[in-house]
Amino acid sequence: MISAPAVLLCRTGSRLLLHRLAPNRTSWARRTIFLRTALAMATGGKGNHSSDTLYTNRLINEKSPYLLQHAHNPVDWYPWGQEAFDKAKREDKLIFLSVGYSTCHWCHVMEQESFQNEEIGQILNENFVCIKVDREERPDVDKVYMTFVQATSSGGGWPMSVWLTPDLKPFVGGTYFPPEDGIYQVGFRTVLLRILEQWKRNKTTLLENSQKILSALLARTDVGARGEEVPPSSKEVISRCFQQLSESYDEEYGGFSESPKFPTPVNLNFLFSYWALHRSTPEGARALQMALHTLKMMAYGGIHDHIAQGFHRYSTDQRWHVPHFEKMLYDQGQLAAAYAKAYQISGDEFFADIVADILLYVSRDLSDKSGGFYSAEDADSYPTVLSKEKQEGAFCVWPAEEIRQLLPEPIEGIPEQKTTADVFMHHYGIKEDGNVNPMKVTCEGRHSLGGRPDPHNELKGKNVLIVQYSLELTAARFGLGLEQLKALLADSRVKLYKARQLRPQPHLDSKMLASWNGLMISGFAQSGAILGKEEYVDRAVCAADFLQNHLFDAGTGKLLRSCYRGQGNSVDKSSVPIYGFLEDYVFVIQALFDLYEASLNPSWLEWAVQLQHKQDELFWDPKGFAYFSTEAAEPSLLLRMKDDQDGAEPSPNSIAVTNLLRAASYSGHKEWVKKAGQILAAFSERLLKIPVVLPEMARATAAFHQTLKQVVICGDPAGEDTKELLQSFYSTYTPNRVRTTSERLISRLNQ
């Protein structure tokens, strides 16, 4: 999903009328509830470095970095909770729900343009109950209302803007709105006034239509098995999924769309599994070629940070060149595992180098001293310490002149008089006037603003590094030896990294989420096992200890959703705990299985089995089968949903199928095999018609029908002979297998 503008959708059945209300400045001054203060503004956003006079609202008491970014808006924000709901009912006011996350570019834009605007703040405060939600902290709330926005419009994204009745039913929704009317889009101020007018004139109609919308959403989101449905044929599902991926594959640049282009590791994992099942066929060879080519083109592209490592969130163009510059933890974890598998299959050290690149970035920039992993780095930052406004990509892009200043050394021993900068700029496609063609940047958010792809000219004259030529071609072009060129480029990257560290840093979202930490633990554990790097496995162990110490309630046996970086080496938690959702359980359980297989420590396996039992208790649907995304005990949620699509992260039910099969194989608990089949049956129609939207679950159908192969390795885990067996085990890619070190452990788990 892209954080980007979208049109306003209204389903009230009535025409929205514009009625301009004259701002009452006296009333505003008299009724304001905010404290004027000189506190420093919360980090993040696109605003100025500081301000002499700021507002402070109740979000100042929250822990979420995103909510804290809005703690000094002249808007009377409430967090999602009973206080806000009661106020809306008591005063018979509509709710304005704004959902985003702290590294969202267009969330920053809307905050600066609208939520820092005093006149718009007055309209909101006097006529609406305003609720701000961090979608990463409360994915349950986000999914309910995003389902509404997507169902009533051509898309969705963040910031998400939804208007609700006092009983939380949506009736109007959209994403980003500019503050005032433009040629291509109605302004936020106008939207507020029109909705307010309709609430005054046509309240009964709005309430009736909101109930109809809710009923339609309930029917739309109903996922479950019908009667005695059985799991679909794995052969049919896998074949169709491969065909659909093959049809959307970009032969030249890899990936599965033109633009924008996302990494989608779930597609790559499916292709690896398809190849393993069909490795002697032309289709199998094509599947492997599609996956490896995509991974190589991503690594060459600007979506890969060639200076500070790691991957940005997505590419705005077809050739992976110009990214949306935020970096997300969930991408790093999944891509590390994907590149490790690519190395395991191909033996190409190029892929192992990219694994090391990703894990270096995470260890250096996204790691807390407690052992946990932070959520993300922002796309926006100040270009210089004197800048007044943040710009997207400012931390990462380069003018050619700066490259020449940083790399002026002449190259010795070649016929032409060339500098290190000449070689570096040639290899990475750097041009004197910039290498970004703004008319080819197809970020949804920019095209929506009157067809101007780069409305603020933030990338004009700048360069995004992209590997333009192979090492061999660049070496030949300048008459250099291959090793000489590698050393020159590596040294140049270090110099640019040091220079970049002197720039103002982008905002760091220091929230630590159980689910994303789980994905990252899997990335470290799988990479460590495949590459034979004990330090990677040790880092995964450290993070798993963090989960057990800070995101697990031993008294209830439940996971917690999030915690936060505190002062010094401390870890903070919300005053009202947010318990884990289904995604937290499935990603953590998967991580613990991966960590057990990489470390041979049975305590991780035992905890995984314990959490699997708790997941069954909290989320299983005994009537329609499969798992709900949320517990039943949340009264403020209108819908209890089951995700039916793999996206940037795999859907929890997709991962749950494999987790159940692994848990059953380890423990002998056959009920879990039955549950895995029931999930596949619940999603049978979708798997048979459009499996490409569930590639991870499609992959799991083979594991279900063929059963997992169990490999028992006996011996001292520290012994050299055992290590040789493990090295052999990890030298080949074989999906649908589990390994353990002891039959006695299996017997103990079964008890």
Side-chain angles (χ1 to χ4, degrees):
M1 192 63 63
I2 303 170
S3 44
V7 297
L8 170 71
L9 267 294
C10 178
R11 294 290 183 266
T12 64
S14 304
R15 183 168 62 92
L16 291 180
L17 303 175
L18 171 63
H19 175 64
R20 295 197 176 274
L21 300 177
N24 187 328
R25 300 290 183 185
T26 304
S27 173
W28 165 247
R30 184 176 66 250
R31 294 177 60 187
T32 182
I33 67 165
F34 304 104
L35 304 174
R36 289 191 175 268
T37 176
L39 292 174
M41 181 174 290
T43 59
K46 286 185 69 71
N48 296 339
H49 279 296
S50 63
S51 177
D52 294 333
T53 304
L54 301 172
Y55 298 95
T56 298
N57 56 50
R58 58 181 53 75
L59 296 186
I60 197 68
N61 299 315
E62 298 299 309
K63 299 295 184 183
S64 158
Y66 176 64
L67 299 188
L68 288 171
Q69 286 174 356
H70 294 264
H72 298 292
N73 296 161
V75 177
D76 184 14
W77 292 115
Y78 285 76
W80 182 266
Q82 199 59 46
E83 183 184 8
F85 309 153
D86 290 344
K87 177 180 173 67
K89 289 182 178 179
R90 185 174 61 251
E91 299 180 11
D92 194 29
K93 285 184 176 179
L94 292 172
I95 292 172
F96 169 60
L97 174 65
S98 177
V99 182
Y101 55 102
S102 79
T103 59
C104 164
H105 172 73
W106 287 99
C107 299
H108 301 335
V109 174
M110 191 164 179
E111 183 204 9
Q112 183 184 34
E113 293 176 343
S114 293
F115 301 146
Q116 293 181 14
N117 182 298
E118 290 192 359
E119 184 177 346
I120 288 176
Q122 177 186 3
I123 296 171
L124 285 167
N125 296 335
E126 293 186 350
N127 301 286
F128 300 90
V129 175
C130 302
I131 298 179
K132 186 52 92 164
V133 168
D134 181 340
R135 68 169 297 264
E136 296 167 356
E137 192 177 62
R138 293 300 303 261
D140 53 339
V141 176
D142 177 64
K143 286 170 185 171
V144 167
Y145 294 104
M146 184 60 73
T147 299
F148 161 72
V149 171
Q150 291 175 328
T152 55
S153 72
S154 58
W158 299 278
M160 176 171 62
S161 305
V162 188
W163 285 263
L164 320 176
T165 63
D167 56 358
L168 305 180
K169 296 172 185 172
F171 65 94
V172 175
T175 55
Y176 163 87
F177 294 94
E180 302 295 340
D181 296 346
I183 298 174
Y184 297 95
Q185 194 172 9
V186 65
F188 186 58
R189 183 180 185 279
T190 298
V191 172
L192 291 174
L193 296 177
R194 288 178 177 177
I195 289 173
L196 178 60
E197 185 69 17
Q198 287 301 306
W199 180 243
K200 291 178 179 178
R201 293 189 177 187
N202 300 298
K203 181 186 299 185
T204 301
T205 302
L206 285 178
L207 292 173
E208 289 174 353
N209 285 335
S210 70
Q211 183 57 50
K212 293 177 182 177
I213 289 170
L214 178 60
S215 298
L217 289 177
L218 285 168
R220 179 188 177 97
T221 58
D222 182 30
V223 174
R226 304 291 183 265
E228 298 298 320
E229 279 188 74
V230 296
S233 160
S234 65
K235 183 177 181 180
E236 184 178 353
V237 169
I238 289 173
S239 175
R240 183 161 295 162
C241 188
F242 172 70
Q243 178 186 2
Q244 291 173 349
L245 277 175
S246 186
E247 289 171 353
S248 65
Y249 176 66
D250 183 339
E251 300 285 351
E252 185 173 4
Y253 297 108
F256 303 93
S257 62
E258 291 187 0
S259 62
K261 210 169 230 179
F262 288 80
T264 55
V266 288
N267 290 341
L268 305 174
N269 289 333
F270 171 84
L271 292 171
F272 286 146
S273 290
Y274 186 90
W275 165 79
L277 295 171
H278 304 82
R279 62 180 75 195
S280 62
T281 68
E283 292 80 9
R286 174 166 169 77
L288 182 59
Q289 183 272 333
M290 288 163 63
L292 296 182
H293 182 61
T294 296
L295 286 168
K296 280 204 168 183
M297 295 307 293
M298 285 169 48
Y300 293 146
I303 191 174
H304 177 207
D305 188 341
H306 296 278
I307 301 302
Q309 298 82 44
F311 281 79
H312 299 293
R313 184 162 166 249
Y314 66 84
S315 173
T316 63
D317 58 67
Q318 183 180 1
R319 55 194 203 107
W320 304 104
H321 180 201
V322 182
H324 180 47
F325 289 91
E326 65 186 314
K327 291 180 180 177
M328 312 301 295
L329 180 67
Y330 59 75
D331 282 326
Q332 315 309 320
Q334 293 179 90
L335 286 173
Y339 277 100
K341 291 170 188 171
Y343 167 73
Q344 186 182 39
I345 292 168
S346 69
D348 188 341
E349 289 288 343
F350 173 85
F351 297 113
D353 290 342
I354 301 301
V355 175
D357 172 291
I358 296 170
L359 299 185
L360 170 62
Y361 163 68
V362 173
S363 298
R364 184 191 63 223
D365 295 344
L366 294 183
S367 289
D368 188 76
K369 293 180 180 179
S370 66
F373 299 111
Y374 302 137
S375 293
E377 278 192 309
D378 206 342
D380 299 345
S381 62
Y382 295 104
T384 70
V385 293
L386 300 177
S387 300
K388 298 298 184 181
E389 297 291 336
K390 291 185 177 182
Q391 293 181 6
E392 182 172 9
F395 188 65
C396 302
V397 297
W398 301 89
E401 180 183 3
E402 186 177 3
I403 300 290
R404 293 200 176 280
Q405 291 173 352
L406 291 168
L407 306 175
E409 304 86 357
I411 304 295
E412 303 291 343
I414 62 173
E416 297 179 85
Q417 292 185 344
K418 297 292 183 181
T419 65
T420 301
D422 291 322
V423 178
F424 190 88
M425 291 170 66
H426 174 82
H427 188 70
Y428 286 106
I430 295 170
K431 298 179 180 179
E432 298 295 343
D433 57 351
N435 68 2
V436 178
N437 182 344
M439 297 314 296
K440 290 185 179 180
V441 176
T442 55
C443 172
E444 180 182 324
R446 290 173 174 161
H447 268 318
S448 298
L449 293 182
R452 293 184 62 197
D454 190 11
H456 304 296
N457 288 321
E458 292 172 332
L459 302 177
K460 184 177 181 180
K462 302 297 193 300
N463 288 276
V464 176
L465 271 58
I466 181 171
V467 176
Q468 199 73 39
Y469 302 98
S470 68
L471 290 168
E472 291 77 9
L473 284 175
T474 299
R477 165 66 180 80
F478 292 96
L480 299 170
L482 197 58
E483 294 304 315
Q484 181 185 6
L485 173 64
K486 289 180 181 179
L488 181 150
L489 294 176
D491 183 61
S492 299
R493 289 193 297 267
V494 170
K495 290 179 179 178
L496 265 62
Y497 174 78
K498 291 178 179 178
R500 208 170 92 168
Q501 290 304 105
L502 299 177
R503 299 175 179 178
Q505 300 278 322
H507 161 69
L508 173 69
D509 188 323
S510 57
K511 177 173 69 265
M512 292 172 275
L513 301 173
S515 61
W516 294 2
N517 270 256
L519 289 172
M520 198 66 241
I521 290 171
S522 286
F524 271 101
Q526 291 185 39
S527 298
I530 292 170
L531 301 180
K533 299 281 190 181
E534 290 187 12
E535 60 269 30
Y536 293 162
V537 178
D538 291 342
R539 182 64 186 90
V541 169
C542 183
D545 284 333
F546 160 81
L547 287 179
Q548 208 159 32
N549 293 331
H550 297 287
L551 289 174
F552 178 63
D553 184 341
T556 62
K558 290 183 177 183
L559 290 173
L560 298 171
R561 171 64 177 174
S562 58
C563 59
Y564 313 85
R565 180 177 64 181
Q567 296 296 322
N569 295 331
S570 67
V571 174
D572 287 347
K573 296 180 181 177
S574 300
S575 56
V576 179
I578 302 173
Y579 284 103
F581 305 104
L582 176 63
E583 63 188 65
D584 296 298
Y585 283 83
V586 297
F587 293 150
V588 169
I589 291 168
Q590 174 182 249
L592 295 174
F593 285 149
D594 291 338
L595 184 53
Y596 164 66
E597 294 198 355
S599 69
L600 305 179
N601 183 339
S603 66
W604 302 125
L605 180 56
E606 291 168 3
W607 189 28
V609 170
Q610 175 189 347
L611 289 176
Q612 186 61 62
H613 282 296
K614 180 59 67 173
Q615 176 185 313
D616 294 346
E617 173 191 330
L618 297 175
F619 304 103
W620 182 253
D621 177 4
K623 296 181 179 179
F625 305 143
Y627 293 101
F628 288 111
S629 297
T630 58
E631 291 187 48
E634 178 51 76
S636 65
L637 294 180
L638 300 177
L639 305 173
R640 198 176 181 209
M641 302 174 63
K642 299 171 187 174
D643 287 344
D644 61 355
Q645 185 167 331
D646 295 330
E649 307 160 59
S651 75
N653 272 294
S654 293
I655 297 296
V657 175
T658 305
N659 282 353
L660 288 166
L661 295 174
R662 293 173 84 177
S665 183
Y666 287 128
S667 69
H669 189 57
K670 299 303 181 185
E671 180 66 22
W672 280 331
V673 176
K674 182 180 178 181
K675 272 186 164 60
Q678 289 171 330
I679 294 174
L680 296 174
F683 289 88
S684 179
E685 181 180 0
R686 202 162 179 80
L687 285 169
L688 289 170
K689 289 182 178 179
I690 44 173
V692 72
V693 303
L694 283 169
E696 183 65 32
M697 191 177 290
R699 190 171 77 93
T701 61
F704 176 79
H705 285 289
Q706 297 179 14
T707 71
L708 297 183
K709 300 176 182 67
Q710 188 177 92
V711 180
V712 179
I713 298 178
C714 300
D716 179 6
E720 290 303 319
D721 53 347
T722 305
K723 289 182 179 179
E724 287 180 14
L725 282 174
L726 293 174
Q727 186 177 3
S728 176
F729 178 85
Y730 282 113
S731 66
T732 58
Y733 175 78
T734 305
N736 307 332
R737 69 181 179 182
V738 297
R739 77 173 178 86
T740 183
T741 56
S742 171
E743 292 285 359
R744 286 178 295 174
L745 175 60
I746 296 174
S747 176
R748 192 169 78 206
L749 288 171
N750 196 28
Q751 293 173 3

